Amino acid sequence: MRLPESKYPLKEGFRREMWVCTGKELTHEGKAVIGFIPIVDDDGTLAEKRHRFDAKGLSVIVGGVYLVQTNGESLLPGRMEWQRTYEFTNLVAVWQTLARAADLELRRQSQEKGAGKINHLLEVLEPLREAYHSTDWRTQKAVELIVLDYLRRPLPRDKQK
């Protein structure tokens, strides 16, 4: 396969290849990875092996063809060069749909984690709520003011983010 010129020098132990990005995927553990498949000839034929890399820090386009530097097991993300969009648009559409599904699942998991924290907080506050409703209206107003005052106070310096 004929490769275009690169603006980056080739790192020792690495070779240049053309890879197409198949998009974000989730591992069985729920970790986000980005998939790539090498292109083996000028007709756009794909290799059988798919490579997956940690999604953190990778900025790629699903269906984008990249000139990469690889040693077969890893790639150099800072030396990836976008070349074009992969010519088989039906495959690109499938990859885009799967990547979108992975994004939605990650968002759902994140929201679920946040909901779990809120539910735990509400459980902790339940005794206060019960005490609040067992008093007269004047005491209820005093409790509301005390709680709001407490929540609005600045955190001590050692607990600030």
Side-chain angles (χ1 to χ4, degrees), residues 133-150:
H133 285 289
S134 69
T135 63
D136 63 43
W137 69 271
R138 287 186 183 103
T139 307
Q140 288 177 349
K141 294 299 173 201
V143 169
E144 290 171 9
L145 291 172
I146 291 168
V147 169
L148 283 175
D149 178 62
Y150 177 76

Side-chain angles (χ1 to χ4, degrees), residues 4-55:
E5 290 293 318
S6 175
K7 61 183 177 183
Y8 300 108
L10 185 61
K11 184 174 179 176
E12 187 176 330
F14 283 73
R15 63 186 178 277
R16 287 190 178 94
E17 293 182 2
M18 295 291 277
W19 286 8
V20 63
C21 175
T22 59
K24 191 176 288 181
E25 305 170 22
L26 296 178
T27 64
H28 293 294
E29 297 81 31
K31 181 181 174 186
V33 294
I34 302 287
F36 292 91
I37 302 176
I39 300 173
V40 295
D41 62 29
D42 289 331
D43 294 331
T45 305
L46 299 175
E48 296 205 13
K49 182 178 181 185
R50 181 186 308 248
H51 299 273
R52 292 173 176 88
F53 300 99
D54 187 3

Side-chain angles (χ1 to χ4, degrees), residues 3-161:
L3 296 176
E5 290 293 318
S6 175
K7 61 183 177 183
Y8 300 108
L10 185 61
K11 184 174 179 176
E12 187 176 330
F14 283 73
R15 63 186 178 277
R16 287 190 178 94
E17 293 182 2
M18 295 291 277
W19 286 8
V20 63
C21 175
T22 59
K24 191 176 288 181
E25 305 170 22
L26 296 178
T27 64
H28 293 294
E29 297 81 31
K31 181 181 174 186
V33 294
I34 302 287
F36 292 91
I37 302 176
I39 300 173
V40 295
D41 62 29
D42 289 331
D43 294 331
T45 305
L46 299 175
E48 296 205 13
K49 182 178 181 185
R50 181 186 308 248
H51 299 273
R52 292 173 176 88
F53 300 99
D54 187 3
K56 196 172 190 176
L58 276 180
S59 179
V60 290
I61 299 170
V62 178
V65 175
Y66 294 87
L67 180 62
V68 301
Q69 291 190 30
T70 180
N71 61 8
E73 296 301 318
S74 63
L75 64 84
L76 301 174
R79 295 185 183 189
M80 293 175 58
E81 298 175 73
W82 187 88
Q83 300 296 308
R84 66 181 189 280
T85 301
Y86 189 61
E87 50 273 13
F88 295 99
T89 55
N90 56 341
L91 273 177
V92 173
V94 170
W95 295 332
Q96 288 172 337
T97 301
L98 293 172
R100 178 75 176 130
D103 278 333
L104 290 172
E105 177 60 18
L106 286 170
R107 188 174 303 138
R108 185 197 64 76
Q109 289 174 5
S110 175
Q111 290 171 347
E112 197 172 83
K113 284 181 188 175
K117 289 178 183 175
I118 290 172
N119 288 338
H120 177 69
L121 178 61
L122 293 177
E123 287 175 22
V124 170
L125 290 173
E126 187 58 29
L128 176 63
R129 184 173 177 241
E130 289 173 4
Y132 173 85
H133 285 289
S134 69
T135 63
D136 63 43
W137 69 271
R138 287 186 183 103
T139 307
Q140 288 177 349
K141 294 299 173 201
V143 169
E144 290 171 9
L145 291 172
I146 291 168
V147 169
L148 283 175
D149 178 62
Y150 177 76
L151 290 175
R152 291 177 178 163
R153 266 189 238 147
L155 287 173
R157 286 204 185 276
D158 61 333
K159 291 188 179 183
Q160 290 181 355
K161 291 183 179 180

